[in-house]
Amino acid sequence: MKKADIFDFFSRLAEANPAPVTELEYGNPYQLLVAVTLSAQATDVGVNKATRALFREVETPQQMVDLGEEGLKAHIKTIGLFNTKAKNVIGLSEILVRDFGGEVPEDRDTLTTLPGVGRKTANVVVNTAFGQETFAVDTHIFRVGNRTGLAPGKTVLAVEQQLDKKVPGPFRRDAHHWLILHGRYVCKARKPECWRCIVADLCRFKPKTPAPKIATAKAA
């Protein structure tokens, strides 16, 4: 995708959704970290259902440690891989209490040293909680980056590096939110809804998916 087209691409997404936010529900940076950690291989909807009651009870790492692994499992047992995730969340909470005064560090590399926290999770946290210009590449962004020609790459890291290189200044902070939402609701995996896509003319994907035919009622 050409430089001018990339600017137009994000301009349109920004005009349609001027203030994009994550669909995960949270009240502070620690709860965001927990929610994103739980969201691996799970939907935001499923995570939110599990964390609503949890986050009414737990707002800090110390409260999570006090809840304990079994107590946490009781809240998140509807989420895939909940046993491993519970162990990781308790582990990272213990480290935050012990080494960081109960605060979530604002440094991506430091975050990735915590149990269960990979680069994508760390990128989400430092971007959403602390306003840093990072690009958290999930399956939606990986697909959109490659399909549209915006940020082609064979690996998640390659797509992230392309985005970091190509996304213009005004759009850098919110870019990954726009791309996730676009991939989730328009540029879908199995059948992209090109007929209602506001950036379809800038996209390199061919052939474009046509609008579904409207069924007509049979004559009586």
Side-chain angles (χ1 to χ4, degrees):
M1 194 179 291
K2 296 178 181 178
K3 187 175 182 180
D5 288 345
I6 293 174
F7 192 92
D8 197 6
F9 181 97
F10 282 106
S11 294
R12 295 184 196 178
L13 295 180
E15 184 177 358
N17 185 4
V21 294
T22 178
E23 293 187 321
L24 289 171
E25 298 171 3
Y26 67 98
N28 58 39
Y30 171 68
Q31 290 182 338
L32 175 65
L33 173 61
V34 172
V36 180
T37 301
L38 295 176
S39 72
Q41 300 181 46
T43 66
D44 287 0
V45 172
V47 172
N48 289 338
K49 287 181 179 178
T51 58
R52 282 181 192 131
L54 173 66
F55 288 165
R56 285 195 293 269
E57 185 177 346
V58 173
E59 297 182 1
T60 67
Q62 185 60 61
Q63 289 174 337
M64 187 68 79
V65 173
D66 294 341
L67 177 65
E69 191 172 326
E70 293 305 315
L72 176 56
K73 286 181 183 179
H75 281 282
I76 67 169
K77 59 187 177 182
T78 56
I79 300 175
L81 305 175
F82 73 93
N83 285 312
T84 298
K85 290 177 180 178
K87 182 178 180 180
N88 286 336
V89 168
I90 294 299
L92 71 83
S93 300
E94 289 172 341
I95 293 172
L96 291 180
V97 171
R98 186 187 70 214
D99 298 339
F100 299 97
E103 298 295 325
V104 175
E106 298 184 25
D107 178 69
R108 177 177 62 192
D109 292 339
T110 302
L111 282 169
T112 59
T113 66
L114 298 174
V117 179
R119 186 179 179 89
K120 185 197 81 172
T121 295
N123 276 333
V124 172
V125 172
V126 298
N127 173 272
T128 302
F130 304 120
Q132 296 181 29
E133 294 178 351
T134 57
F135 304 90
V137 179
D138 68 350
T139 56
H140 296 299
I141 294 183
F142 185 80
R143 178 176 68 255
V144 172
N146 279 285
R147 181 183 276 166
T148 63
L150 168 67
K154 293 184 178 180
T155 66
V156 167
L157 182 59
V159 171
E160 179 187 334
Q161 291 171 335
Q162 286 289 309
L163 290 171
D164 195 20
K165 179 180 178 181
K166 294 180 177 180
V167 176
F171 310 113
R172 292 179 64 81
R173 177 175 176 179
D174 292 327
H176 96 267
H177 288 304
W178 284 314
L179 293 174
I180 286 173
L181 294 171
H182 191 66
R184 185 173 289 164
Y185 297 112
V186 180
C187 195
K188 299 176 181 179
R190 292 186 179 180
K191 194 172 185 180
E193 298 181 0
C194 304
W195 69 90
R196 65 182 192 89
C197 175
I198 60 175
V199 291
D201 58 308
L202 304 174
C203 171
R204 299 297 182 262
F205 175 71
K206 296 184 185 304
K208 296 292 193 290
T209 308
K213 295 180 180 179
I214 300 175
T216 55
K218 293 181 179 180

